[in-house]
Amino acid sequence: MSKRVSLTQYLVEQQRLHGHIPGQLRLLIEVVARACKRIAIAVNKGALGEVMGVAGTENVQGEVQKKLDIISNEVLIEANEWGGHLAAMASEEMDTIHTVPNRYPAGEYLLLFDPLDGSSNIEVNVSIGTIFSVLKKPHDNPDEIEPVSEADFLQPGSQQAAAGYCVYGPQSMLVLTVGDGVAMFTLDRETGSWVLTAENVKVPADTKEFAINMSNMRHWDAPVKRYVDECLAGQEGPRGKDFNMRWVASMVADVHRILTRGGIFMYPWDKREPDKPGKLRLLYEANPMSFLIEQAGGAATNGHQRILDVQPEKLHQRVSVILGSKNEVERVTAYHQEAKGG
Ligand code: AHG
Ligand code: MN
Ligand code: MN
């Protein structure tokens, strides 16, 4: 049997080899991974665990909260509050930031998460997940302990110290970057440990598979419509090849497929709510996924700009997302440029 490498061992070895994972960051990643294990257990119980159905509340974005959205949010807060590695947290399911209570020591990191991504898939037993992003709390004066504020979270994604997701599917998998490539871990349910199952993950530059919610086609902007029309035209069209389509409606599952076999994922701006830049949230959905995709050699833009360069202005800010295989993302971005006359 080949040697099994656990998440802890992987992080310790990365630290020894490259020295870029400070102790607090390692603890943070391990705590998040442990919380994801608890969420995986709750997800797996389904109707046997009283975790199904709606919670009867709405989040700040006006979306109905499911019981599992709330449970996952609580599990992540509870697990992360007391370790001394965090200054504060922000979540899709909380209006404002959650500062670490005074009774616990405050650390130097900020954690942002989508506690349960793909909530519409809970009832139908399709893959869902947790997405997370880690930032460092900025310091004006390193000698003083400054109170943490929402503004501290408004950093471009290029500043992330780590990012990842856990997908709860036929297997539970944790996918992680600390800025040195992408590694995947599979949960061994018998021993309860995350075991390294893929390293140096690479997204192929070309693909014949796209992911978009086609039911919104009539609402799209011209560049997105042009790209998808050309894919649909197949071998006889300008691309000269047939394309396949997939849409899970859980970003974690769609991104996981792209990290595994390539593809392009799009949730673009559309005319349904013209004042919103898109559906997905920048800080805890688009940024961590863009960091992972770039670390795997792919690309991520909002059609006009690299997502990781977008300067956030609000905690729950939305963004248009085009990510995955590099050459396809560059093509869609170029179509946006051409439409602008650039
Ligand atoms: P969440 O469940 O955290 O609100 O996120 C759902 C997101 C994302 O996972 C997915 O790609 C997209 O919404 C699906 O949207 P549609 O239902 O509009 O296809
Ligand atoms: Mn989500
Ligand atoms: Mn969510």
Side-chain angles (χ1 to χ4, degrees):
M1 202 176 85
S2 61
K3 186 175 156 277
R4 282 163 59 114
V5 176
S6 68
L7 174 66
T8 307
Q9 219 174 332
Y10 171 84
L11 293 172
V12 170
E13 276 166 17
Q14 287 291 309
Q15 167 65 14
R16 269 187 212 140
L17 286 172
H18 311 291
H20 59 213
I21 310 182
Q24 280 197 11
L25 182 58
R26 180 154 70 82
L27 177 62
L28 190 163
I29 293 167
E30 295 215 48
V31 172
V32 169
R34 209 176 306 138
C36 287
K37 227 185 289 181
R38 279 186 61 193
I39 299 171
I41 291 167
V43 167
N44 291 155
K45 283 200 173 129
L48 303 177
E50 291 176 25
V51 297
M52 305 298 272
V54 295
T57 46
E58 276 188 3
N59 66 15
V60 66
Q61 327 186 33
E63 297 163 341
V64 171
Q65 291 176 305
K66 303 269 178 81
K67 280 188 194 162
L68 268 174
D69 289 320
I70 306 287
I71 293 168
S72 308
N73 194 56
E74 281 167 6
V75 166
L76 281 157
I77 292 175
E78 220 178 272
N80 278 288
E81 245 178 8
W82 51 272
H85 52 284
L86 279 188
M89 293 172 250
S91 158
E92 179 189 339
E93 307 304 343
M94 298 190 290
D95 303 6
T96 53
I97 63 166
H98 177 94
T99 310
V100 166
N102 285 336
R103 62 182 181 279
Y104 301 122
E108 13 174 348
Y109 289 97
L110 305 172
L111 175 65
L112 299 97
F113 45 84
D114 174 355
L116 204 79
D117 175 65
S119 307
S120 72
N121 280 324
I122 295 171
E123 275 73 29
V124 289
N125 197 8
V126 168
S127 295
I128 48 183
T130 297
I131 311 174
F132 65 94
S133 160
V134 183
L135 293 166
K136 236 178 155 181
K137 181 181 176 303
H139 283 292
D140 292 330
N141 181 351
D143 300 327
E144 273 178 38
I145 300 172
E146 298 148 340
V148 61
S149 72
E150 196 167 301
D152 293 333
F153 286 80
L154 305 181
Q155 303 179 40
S158 55
Q159 297 297 311
Q160 290 171 103
Y165 64 79
C166 181
V167 58
Y168 313 113
Q171 304 127 39
S172 286
M173 289 186 72
L174 179 78
V175 178
L176 175 73
T177 184
V178 288
D180 187 25
V182 175
M184 295 184 174
F185 303 83
T186 305
L187 181 60
D188 181 336
R189 287 181 201 281
E190 279 146 39
T191 61
S193 67
W194 292 106
V195 181
L196 180 69
T197 43
E199 237 181 323
N200 298 322
V201 172
K202 290 284 169 242
V203 177
D206 293 298
T207 183
K208 291 161 91 173
E209 198 163 67
F210 68 93
I212 192 164
N213 185 336
M214 290 286 290
S215 69
N216 297 324
M217 191 172 212
R218 69 192 183 285
H219 306 297
W220 297 337
D221 226 354
V224 175
K225 187 147 190 327
R226 172 182 171 192
Y227 175 78
V228 174
D229 279 345
E230 289 179 0
C231 291
L232 296 177
Q235 209 157 10
E236 293 75 41
R239 302 298 308 275
K241 59 181 183 180
D242 291 335
F243 277 77
N244 186 27
M245 195 206 82
R246 286 286 184 274
W247 184 250
V248 183
S250 289
M251 190 190 200
V252 273
D254 281 311
V255 169
H256 193 70
R257 184 187 60 255
I258 289 171
L259 282 172
T260 307
R261 68 176 190 211
I264 179 169
F265 170 95
M266 289 171 283
Y267 211 120
W269 171 92
D270 69 45
K271 287 197 275 289
R272 283 173 301 169
E273 290 184 277
D275 296 336
K276 283 188 189 155
K279 175 179 181 180
L280 299 175
R281 279 61 50 118
L282 174 62
L283 289 174
Y284 41 82
E285 289 178 320
N287 272 347
M289 291 312 204
S290 299
F291 191 21
L292 286 164
I293 289 286
E294 282 200 6
Q295 283 294 314
T301 79
N302 63 2
H304 306 281
Q305 187 186 9
R306 180 182 175 227
I307 287 178
L308 295 182
D309 286 337
V310 175
Q311 173 60 52
E313 282 158 16
K314 285 190 298 193
L315 197 57
H316 298 286
Q317 179 169 331
R318 294 171 193 258
V319 67
S320 176
V321 176
I322 299 156
L323 59 76
S325 292
K326 202 165 197 257
N327 293 339
E328 295 299 305
V329 173
E330 282 174 0
R331 177 181 285 270
V332 184
T333 310
Y335 287 2
H336 282 79
Q337 290 301 323
E338 283 173 37
K340 270 203 311 199

